[in-house]
Structure formats: C-alpha cells, structure tokens
Amino acid sequence: MAQTRIVIVGAGVAGLTTALLLTREERYQITVAAKHMPGDYDIEYASPWAGANYSPISGAGTEAAERDKNTWPELENLAKHSPESDYAIYNRTKDVNTSTGRYLGQRLMAEPWYKDIVPNFRQLSGEQLGSEYDNGHAFTTVCINTAIYLPWLASQCLLKGVVFKRANLNHISDAANIHHSGKKADVIVNCTGLSARKLGGVEDQNMMPIRGQTVLVRNEAHVMCLSSGTDDGEEEVCYLMQRAAGGGTLLGGSYQRGNWDSQLDPSLAIRIMKRAVDLCPALTGGKGIEHLDIIRQGVGLRPHRQGGTRIETEKIDGVWTVHNYGHGGFGYQSSYGCSKEVVKLVDEAAMDRVERMRIKDLAESPRLNPLWEFTNHAFAHSTQRYPELGFEGKRFEKPSDFVEEMGPECVTFILYAPGSLKADQATNIIATAGCKPWDGAFKLDERVERMREERKAREKAEANGDEVGNDTFYTKEHEDQLVQQIEKLGPMTHSDEEDDVPRWEVMTVCVHPKWQKQGLANLLLEMVVGEVSSQVKAVGKGPNFKLMVRLLKEINEKYWLGKGFKPVGEKFFEPGLFGSPTGFHILDMSRDHCID
C-alpha cells in the first residue's frame, strides 16, 4: 500500500494531537521529530508546565472559539473515567481593562459564549462571590494532568506506528530529510511553538512569550477557581487547578508579556501561594501558606502569537509545510480543534496535486484520455467483484461518451499520486469524483433517443465498409431489448418531496484499488460538498441542499448507506439487459446538507 511520508516537528500537545489524528488514516507514515519529548522539563518546552484545563478565553464568533468548541467533546470523552470538577471564576470590574483582563477575555464576561458548551454553567450568587467580586460563574470542566497526558498521547501514537526521533533543527526544511523511512518526506507539519520565532524558514517575529510562574502542591481543595486579577500588579493573577489522577494542585500565576526569564522569582512564588490560600482557604484547612506541601515550582513560556494561531500551508524549499503554532495559553483547550484543521490541510498537501476542472474544459485538455481510462479501469475493477451481474467491457467506449454523460457543467476533481510528474498519464491518477446540478430522475426517453442515433451511425459506417468497434459493457445484440424495456419502464419517481431545495449529483467517485481504504473517498466527498456549497451560495440559494447519487444497487448501495445517503427512487432492469443474466437495479439516493 502506497503511503505518504509526514514529519511533524514538535512533540508538545499540538504536535502529539496532530500526529494522533493523522494516524486515523492508514495512508500516512508519520515521524515525530523534536528536541524535547514527553517527560522532559525545559523552558523551551511549554506543554509540561501548562495548567491545561478547559476554560476558553477566545472571542465569540472567532476561529479560535470554533477550535475551542471542537475540542471540548474530545476532552469530555477522555474525562469520562476521570474526575471532573467545578470551575469557579470570580470577576472584578476594575480588572477588565488591565493587561491580564484583556488576555482573559471571555472569562470576565457574565455570559461567555461557552455557556452553551460546558455542563452545569451557572451564575454565582452574591453570597458565593463575597464583597470583593462583582460577578462570577461556575461550570463543570476538566483539568489535564500533563505528566500523564503527554506520555499517553505519545503511547497512542506509538501503537499506531508513529516513530519518534530526537532532532534539533536549524531550518524547517531540514525536517524533510529525517523521516524514519530514510526517504524524503512529502509533507512537514510545523508544531514548534515559541521556537517558530527563530527557526530558519519560519522566523515568525509575531511570536512572543507570556511568562507564567506556578507552584505545584500536594494539597487538594477539590475545586478549580480563577480570579480576574489581583492588587499585586496587572501581570499577576490567581488560579487553582486540581489535576486528575493524583497530579496535585497547580497554583498560579502570572501573565508577563515579552518576559523570557526562565528563573524562579521567589517573591512572586510567595504572592502566588498567599493569593491561593486567600481565595480557597480549604486548600490548607484555613491555615497559612506554611501548610502547603510543595511538589515543585515552575516557569513556563506561553507561545503567544500576535494575530492569532497560525494554521496554514506553504511550500518551503519544494516541500509542503503545514503550520500549527502560536496557541498561547490555550494549547490544550484548542488542541483537537486546531489539529482537525491541520489534518484537512495535510490531506490536501499530501495529494501533491489536486486538479479541479469543468468537463467542458477537460474535453479540450490532455487530461481527458487519462481520466477516461482511469474511470473505465475503476468500473471494470468494481464489476469484476460481482461476476453474477455479467457486465463486461468498458463503461465508456470512447472519451466523448465520458464527456457526454458527465455533462459540460460537471466539476471534476482529479487526485494524483504524491510525487507524480506527469498528469497526462492514467497511472498517476489515484482518485476522482465530480458533481453537477441534478437534472431530475432517470431520463429514459433521452437515453433511448441517443441509442437510436448511435445505432444509425454504426449501421451507416458498416454499410460503407468501415470497421466498427463496440466493446462497452452493452453490445448491439442487447440494444433492442434495452430500448423495449426502457420504453416500458417509464420515468423513475422519487419518494422525497419536490421542493425548491437545490440538488446536485455526485458523479464517478473512483479510487484506485491500491489506494482504497485510506480515506480518499471521504476526502473527495468533502471536496464535492465544498464545491456545491460555494455554487449554491453564489446563486443566492440555500442554506439547505441535497446531494444525489445514482448507482447500481447490487454493487454500491451498502457503501452509500454508510455515507448517510438514503434511497429515494429505484428501477429494476430485467435479465438480459447489458448482458446481465440476473438483471439489476438502478438506485437514486440523497443526503441532506446545510451550508454553515
């Protein structure tokens, strides 16, 4: 099975989560290369120092909010067998315009957007707040034990065949040469965090540290809480996060923008502990900070990026590079949302070439013959698995037949194998699919008329002594039977109601046998959905539309049912047609969609 070679640079929560999601597709062969690995503690390695709870700071309606939203279900699922805890946020109006208040964003709002995402969201009463705070809210969330979670992510990747390598790179393009196969990587994923500021080929000067200092203690208060600010300075904050599985309670902290200092500040540590005990006296049973049982103190540099997280693709020294860095203090709570976006970009980059063409343009292109050959090969492979149907020969006798059936307005996507140099060879095509506006139920009368015209042309050629070939899956001797039955069948009727919802037909979804079961059909369908969404928007329709597909029931019904399509119309063709001794069913299916 052909595989695409990927090198992920960075083994923090971003790199490991991206690697794990990429392992869900068998077509990827993944190396994770990093200077620091799970188990290390270093100022350059932010993930082990993180508080790592779920409490979004992203603004409502932003890309960042969507990533946070898409991460919560994954974290909630992982926490099903781990303790969850209430998280209380105490806000002071005077903190809103401080540097820390601006950073905390949504947490300072009485009605943050995530109130509809997290369980048990509620406002705190005046009695719960006390006299110092103006408003507050609480909800159920999770706090990750980073000392367990990062090695767990790595172990899940190892089980899926990911290879880990220590590497200290000077330039991002160097990653292409360290894939464990010994061959050059097809795609690089850059998850280098704050190191993206100085890494050659990236050198992103929008990256800056936000220094955080913490104290990890053995004491447990069985609660997580945050204060919007302190009276000790704009860059200081108070929070407690009890970690799962005996991970202790993390006390913080600070939001010191542009501060690269890796050394502990003892006076700050004392202020952190005093504030924590004041906010949550249960931590020490009402006693002072001398009753805190310290595990260790730490300093971490949040990899903040001015302008927001960078998730995009570019070609560096001839190799596609997908960037995933700049997560600031929300790397864990956005990890799955960000990585899902990265997987889509890798899918596109890994194909090396994805061409989008209209059939009317394809008809005049050198791409036509290879695509026609590839489609015939895919049809033959499909029908050979069902010899009882009796289909033999090509699906389309000549390229013009392919063009005619697809229709001039059909948009087709052609995926070429990674590293392909010649797109005009059928052997380089690995998958294809198309779509066009649905032209209604099976137009049998048009099919009859076309066949009659083809027969007349063939008879005329034979009369002139010209050689006539016909090696499609139906032969001349079956044409009379076909015409008779089509005339008898009449139009196909659909069970779904006629309405104004736009309908588009999915055409010729074909994947090369060697590339099957690697998610390419899903990728093609995503492209089709994106194309149809754009087309529907462009003409002011929507937001709802239907995807339609016409198929041989005996071969493909089960597959399309698995994709969420439902049968809406069916016709049975009797034995003898197209050389089939058993007869067969033509089936129309549909699936509902809504434009985001």
Side-chain angles (χ1 to χ4, degrees):
M1 177 177 63
Q3 287 185 300
T4 300
R5 296 178 293 276
I6 297 175
V7 172
I8 298 174
V9 185
V13 67
L16 294 174
T17 307
T18 300
L20 182 60
L21 295 192
L22 284 169
T23 63
R24 295 176 181 177
E25 300 291 351
E26 294 182 5
R27 64 181 180 272
Y28 294 136
Q29 191 180 44
I30 303 164
T31 299
V32 173
K35 180 179 180 181
H36 303 291
M37 294 286 182
D40 295 356
Y41 286 90
D42 191 280
I43 192 64
E44 294 180 340
Y45 190 36
S47 291
W49 305 108
N53 74 337
Y54 186 88
S55 178
I57 60 176
S58 51
T62 63
E63 286 184 339
E66 191 66 18
R67 292 162 185 161
D68 292 345
K69 178 181 176 181
N70 291 335
T71 297
W72 172 251
E74 302 280 358
L75 296 183
E76 185 180 35
N77 183 60
L78 288 173
K80 279 183 178 178
H81 303 293
S82 301
E84 293 181 318
S85 177
D86 269 358
Y87 187 41
I89 297 178
Y90 302 91
N91 296 324
R92 306 185 304 182
T93 302
K94 65 181 181 181
D95 296 325
V96 171
N97 293 317
T98 66
S99 59
T100 298
R102 288 190 294 271
Y103 184 80
L104 291 176
Q106 285 286 305
R107 295 183 193 173
L108 272 63
M109 299 186 68
E111 295 284 330
W113 65 261
Y114 55 81
K115 67 183 178 62
D116 298 321
I117 304 298
V118 294
N120 305 319
F121 183 91
R122 60 201 183 277
Q123 298 295 333
L124 296 177
S125 66
E127 183 179 348
Q128 291 171 306
L129 288 169
S131 59
E132 186 178 351
Y133 298 99
D134 300 300
N135 65 73
H137 55 264
F139 54 92
T140 300
T141 188
V142 299
C143 185
I144 294 170
N145 186 342
T146 61
I148 294 176
Y149 184 64
L150 293 173
W152 177 83
L153 283 174
S155 68
Q156 295 302 300
C157 291
L158 287 167
L159 287 172
K160 297 288 188 176
V162 176
V163 174
F164 286 79
K165 298 177 69 173
R166 293 273 184 176
N168 189 8
L169 305 180
N170 294 316
H171 197 283
I172 189 63
S173 64
D174 295 340
N177 300 315
I178 58 175
H179 191 270
H180 66 271
S181 67
K183 299 178 181 179
K184 189 172 182 178
D186 300 301
V187 181
I188 297 168
V189 183
N190 173 23
C191 301
T192 53
L194 197 55
S195 295
R197 181 181 175 89
K198 61 181 181 180
L199 181 63
V202 184
E203 297 171 297
D204 189 341
Q205 299 307 299
N206 288 318
M207 290 298 298
M208 63 176 291
I210 298 182
R211 182 180 181 274
Q213 183 167 322
T214 58
V215 180
L216 184 65
V217 299
R218 294 183 176 86
N219 307 62
E220 294 184 348
H222 304 289
V223 69
M224 291 188 284
C225 48
L226 165 75
S227 169
S228 63
T230 76
D231 293 330
D232 296 324
E234 281 196 8
E235 293 186 326
E236 296 187 26
V237 69
C238 178
Y239 59 81
L240 297 82
M241 300 179 186
Q242 183 173 324
R243 289 175 167 172
T249 302
L250 192 71
L251 314 180
S254 62
Y255 289 98
Q256 299 168 324
R257 298 171 67 90
N259 189 331
W260 292 86
D261 190 1
S262 63
Q263 301 304 306
L264 290 167
D265 179 345
S267 60
L268 174 57
I270 291 173
R271 293 197 298 275
I272 287 171
M273 290 186 284
K274 283 184 175 179
R275 291 193 296 257
V277 170
D278 288 344
L279 184 62
C280 183
L283 196 63
T284 58
K287 300 176 182 178
I289 65 171
E290 65 274 12
H291 291 275
L292 288 172
D293 188 358
I294 299 173
I295 299 172
R296 64 169 171 268
Q297 299 183 50
V299 173
L301 303 180
R302 301 176 182 89
H304 176 73
R305 183 173 184 271
Q306 299 179 76
T309 305
R310 186 183 183 192
I311 299 179
E312 62 183 11
T313 307
E314 68 172 321
K315 204 165 229 183
I316 301 177
D317 293 341
V319 180
W320 284 115
T321 302
V322 181
H323 298 290
N324 182 21
Y325 66 84
H327 304 92
F330 44 88
Y332 284 84
Q333 67 192 23
S334 68
S335 55
Y336 284 90
C338 289
S339 295
K340 288 175 182 178
E341 290 184 28
V342 170
V343 168
K344 289 183 179 180
L345 294 178
V346 170
D347 285 342
E348 295 172 5
M351 290 303 99
D352 199 49
R353 286 197 63 183
V354 179
E355 280 194 313
R356 173 196 177 277
M357 298 184 73
R358 288 191 182 276
I359 290 294
K360 63 182 178 183
D361 299 322
L362 187 68
E364 306 299 325
S365 164
R367 306 287 192 270
L368 176 58
N369 278 9
L371 185 60
W372 164 67
E373 292 178 14
F374 176 77
T375 305
N376 275 336
H377 174 74
F379 176 79
H381 176 77
S382 179
T383 56
Q384 284 167 7
R385 291 180 295 155
Y386 301 88
E388 66 275 10
L389 292 176
F391 294 142
E392 296 179 357
K394 299 176 183 176
R395 173 67 175 85
F396 302 103
E397 182 180 0
K398 49 188 181 295
S400 59
D401 294 338
F402 174 78
V403 171
E404 183 175 359
E405 182 153 329
M406 295 301 103
E409 295 306 313
C410 177
V411 175
T412 186
F413 296 95
I414 310 171
L415 277 58
Y416 298 97
S420 298
L421 298 178
K422 295 183 179 180
D424 57 352
Q425 294 182 2
T427 53
N428 290 331
I429 299 175
I430 61 174
T432 184
C435 59
K436 67 177 182 179
W438 174 251
D439 56 5
F442 212 10
K443 294 188 175 179
L444 302 171
D445 53 344
E446 292 183 7
R447 178 68 61 87
V448 170
E449 188 60 33
R450 190 174 69 188
M451 291 184 63
R452 284 173 173 162
E453 291 176 0
E454 290 176 353
R455 185 189 307 168
K456 289 177 182 178
R458 185 179 296 109
E459 289 172 349
K460 183 178 180 180
E462 289 175 342
N464 293 334
D466 297 333
E467 183 177 345
V468 178
N470 182 11
D471 57 352
T472 56
F473 64 92
Y474 63 88
T475 62
K476 182 179 178 182
E477 63 191 85
H478 297 128
E479 289 179 4
D480 284 334
Q481 294 175 307
L482 177 61
V483 169
Q484 291 172 9
Q485 187 162 131
I486 286 179
E487 290 176 330
K488 181 177 69 175
L489 282 172
M492 182 188 294
T493 58
H494 279 189
S495 61
D496 59 344
E497 297 179 2
E498 289 299 323
D499 49 38
D500 293 330
V501 176
R503 287 168 167 79
W504 280 65
E505 183 175 2
V506 183
M507 305 289 291
T508 59
V509 178
C510 303
V511 179
H512 192 285
K514 291 183 178 179
W515 287 81
Q516 289 179 358
K517 297 184 178 180
Q518 297 189 47
L520 294 187
N522 289 334
L523 179 61
L524 288 163
L525 283 174
E526 287 181 11
M527 293 180 182
V528 166
V529 170
E531 175 69 26
V532 176
S533 296
S534 298
Q535 297 277 359
V536 171
K537 281 182 180 179
V539 296
K541 298 289 186 178
N544 299 315
F545 66 88
K546 288 179 181 287
L547 281 186
M548 311 294 296
V549 63
R550 176 164 294 139
L551 50 95
L552 281 167
K553 179 178 181 178
E554 288 78 4
I555 295 179
N556 292 322
E557 180 185 26
K558 184 176 180 181
Y559 173 82
W560 288 99
L561 285 172
K563 299 298 179 187
F565 284 74
K566 61 180 182 180
V568 293
E570 183 177 324
K571 282 291 184 183
F572 176 67
F573 288 81
E574 296 175 357
L577 265 72
F578 302 129
S580 172
T582 61
F584 56 91
H585 294 78
I586 295 292
L587 185 64
D588 286 350
M589 305 182 76
S590 74
R591 188 173 76 182
D592 295 331
H593 286 266
C594 182
I595 300 172
D596 294 332

